[in-house]
Amino acid sequence: MTGPLLTGTGACRLDAAGRTVEAPGIMAPNVAASPIISVRDVGVLYNRGSRHRSLRDAVYRRSGGVRTDSFWAVDGVSFDVYPGEAIGVVGRNGQGKSTLLKLIAGVLLPDVGEVEVRGGVAPLIEITGGFVGDLTVRENIALTAGLHGMPKSVIAERFDEIVAFAETGAFLDAPYKHLSSGMKARVAFAVVSRLEEEVILVDEVLAVGDKRFRRKCYRRLEQLLEEGRTLFLVSHSERNLRRFCSRGLYMRNGALVLDGPLDDVLAAYAREDDDE
């Protein structure tokens, strides 16, 4: 495991020509502070054919043994993340990346090990999860923001801003289920990206929507990083990873095989593809 990566006096990003440049406006990690995320020897055990262990398993597997149809979705993973870091998580599908984000979000508990997050989390994972199809867009904005802890007064204050970002003003009183998948993603991103949480988790949501809306999402993430937020980004887009991240985590078969500078992590991941 490596420590936090610093590049010059700030983070790095891509310019309009795709070149790596210093981004002084994006705050460097605060290495003098305590880690905002600590993951210690974490493992998550899944059973093939069922996503979660059943009550029967919990009652009868008193010995704690591993069933023959079980596998470790995350296995022995440890790392620290410091305030202001931007972490890119890479690996093929099914290697434990999304499971790792769910552990940090607190929606999944580890079977072994410990995950400690010293701050609130804004989860942009399974982005439309938690929205109620039969409620209107207006009602869903208030409900989702409230469930994430945003006070009613703040929801009212930011409501117009959320609607303007999502570009769904004409559909506020339509049932959420009648929106297109792209419009649903717009509403979800607009709400969650307005939360005042220290940690932002992003799992491939930048692949949704049209090109113009993705640019809006990019600008919003850059604003959050400039404010000193901590970013975890899971993506198969090397360009997006280079745009936002300076440190990488490479997951393979549930294990963390490399934690280091993003360039090194992307190179190692590319070699895996070349070896196939």
Side-chain angles (χ1 to χ4, degrees), residues 177-199:
K177 64 184 178 183
H178 290 170
L179 299 184
S180 68
S181 58
M183 291 178 70
K184 289 177 181 177
R186 287 184 182 191
V187 174
F189 187 96
V191 173
V192 178
S193 67
R194 261 58 188 180
L195 300 176
E196 296 289 342
E197 307 292 10
E198 292 92 339
V199 179

Side-chain angles (χ1 to χ4, degrees), residues 43-150:
V44 174
L45 185 67
Y46 282 161
N47 293 326
R48 303 183 197 279
S50 61
R51 185 169 183 176
H52 301 291
R53 287 175 294 178
S54 66
L55 178 60
R56 178 179 180 278
D57 285 337
V59 171
Y60 289 105
R61 286 178 58 216
R62 297 179 183 274
S63 65
V66 177
R67 283 172 36 165
T68 57
D69 60 348
S70 299
F71 68 99
W72 290 98
V74 171
D75 188 7
V77 171
S78 297
F79 59 86
D80 289 324
V81 177
Y82 288 80
E85 282 201 276
I87 312 294
V89 187
V90 304
R92 293 183 175 181
N93 291 333
Q95 304 303 302
K97 305 185 303 297
S98 295
T99 300
L100 181 61
L101 259 64
K102 290 176 183 177
L103 288 167
I104 296 170
V107 299
L108 184 66
L109 298 177
D111 290 284
V112 296
E114 181 180 9
V115 177
E116 185 175 1
V117 181
R118 302 172 183 88
V121 175
L124 288 160
I125 56 179
E126 297 183 356
I127 190 166
T128 58
F131 285 75
V132 181
D134 289 328
L135 295 182
T136 66
V137 172
R138 184 191 306 275
E139 292 165 338
N140 267 290
I141 290 173
L143 174 64
T144 304
L147 289 175
H148 281 291
M150 187 181 290

Side-chain angles (χ1 to χ4, degrees), residues 227-256:
E227 294 169 5
R229 309 291 181 88
T230 301
L231 173 67
F232 249 83
L233 173 62
V234 170
S235 179
H236 291 288
S237 168
E238 181 175 329
R239 184 174 182 83
N240 286 344
L241 290 164
R242 292 187 183 279
R243 177 168 187 156
F244 297 108
C245 305
S246 56
R247 176 181 166 193
L249 303 180
Y250 176 18
M251 297 290 295
R252 186 172 64 203
N253 297 324
L256 177 59

